[in-house]
Amino acid sequence: MSEEPSIVFRPPEREDGAAIHQLVQRTGILDVNSCYLYLLLCTEFADTCVVAEEDGALLGFVTGLRLPQRPDSVFLWQIGIAPDAQGRGLGKRLVRAFLETSGARDARVLETTISPSNAASRGLFTAIAREHGAEIQVSEYFREDHFPPGHESEEHYRIAPIR
Ligand SMILES: CC(C)(COP(=O)(O)OP(=O)(O)OC[C@H]1O[C@@H](n2cnc3c(N)ncnc32)[C@H](O)[C@@H]1OP(=O)(O)O)[C@@H](O)C(=O)NCCC(=O)NCCS
């Protein structure tokens, strides 16, 4: 697949927070947090977040953070691609860009959580693990009964070694 050179990957700025919040809503599948939370990520956690844009329009984003209790790990919190840009390799490019951010590039372990029914997300992280020759360990994290009714469980994925 040829990669669209016009797509720019960069750390978010606080001006991106509202657009990320809207894109989260457009995915129809991600938990929608407050706009304040996305603004905070773009401001205080920008070194472990990436946005992808084309001609000034937001096509995708990834948010994450380092875990003080597990210094080897970077935790990928949410990733979302605009519905009409999904399935074209952008998710993989965003995760690669995420792993190269100044905040994540020395991490040896990638952690994230995935709902069991999210085949696209599983496909994405399986592909990333394959690229790194890494193993995936899946374990229980947030059960369905931790959430209000109607929310699926979130399983923990530990992917290592990265690089
Ligand atoms: C999950 C998501 C980020 C993946 O990004 P994407 O750009 O669509 O995925 P890519 O095109 O980079 O594909 C990555 C891998 O996943 C696989 N994949 C993509 N969509 C898939 C699907 N619906 N079912 C199964 N596998 C799928 C691809 O085949 C590829 O694997 P390969 O390299 O072995 O061929 C995107 O679909 C999305 O934004 N979904 C809605 C939000 C969401 O669920 N986010 C994840 C939870 S935080």
Side-chain angles (χ1 to χ4, degrees):
M1 188 193 316
S2 71
E3 296 199 340
E4 291 123 295
S6 52
I7 300 178
V8 172
F9 297 85
R10 61 168 175 82
E13 297 166 1
R14 64 187 69 180
E15 285 70 21
D16 297 307
I20 294 175
H21 183 231
Q22 283 170 0
L23 181 47
V24 168
Q25 290 170 294
R26 280 175 60 209
T27 67
I29 189 165
L30 290 173
D31 282 344
V32 182
N33 298 277
S34 71
C35 187
Y36 180 92
L37 194 277
Y38 296 104
L39 286 167
L40 194 68
L41 286 162
C42 292
T43 306
E44 306 298 348
F45 296 86
D47 64 338
T48 46
C49 299
V50 184
V51 292
E53 66 178 10
E54 189 171 39
D55 299 329
L58 185 69
L59 284 189
F61 74 94
V62 56
T63 58
L65 59 155
R66 291 306 285 258
L67 300 170
Q69 64 277 32
R70 292 193 290 281
D72 270 3
S73 290
V74 63
F75 186 88
L76 189 153
W77 178 42
Q78 280 190 320
I79 179 165
I81 308 293
D84 52 1
Q86 290 176 8
R88 301 195 330 230
L90 189 52
K92 280 194 286 193
R93 294 177 69 191
L94 260 173
V95 177
R96 289 181 199 130
F98 170 76
L99 292 172
E100 286 304 322
T101 55
S102 60
R105 71 169 70 105
D106 65 333
R108 212 185 51 81
V109 180
L110 171 62
E111 300 189 31
T112 195
T113 72
I114 304 180
S115 293
S117 71
N118 195 335
S121 193
R122 272 205 322 277
L124 171 61
F125 287 98
T126 302
I128 293 295
R130 193 175 57 233
E131 281 185 10
H132 287 264
E135 291 199 0
I136 304 180
Q137 290 175 339
V138 183
S139 54
E140 184 179 286
Y141 199 59
F142 299 136
R143 295 187 312 266
E144 217 169 284
D145 62 287
H146 287 133
F147 292 99
H151 195 298
E152 235 185 305
S153 63
E154 291 275 348
E155 292 178 321
H156 184 268
Y157 280 58
R158 182 184 190 278
I159 299 171
I162 292 299
R163 273 160 286 269

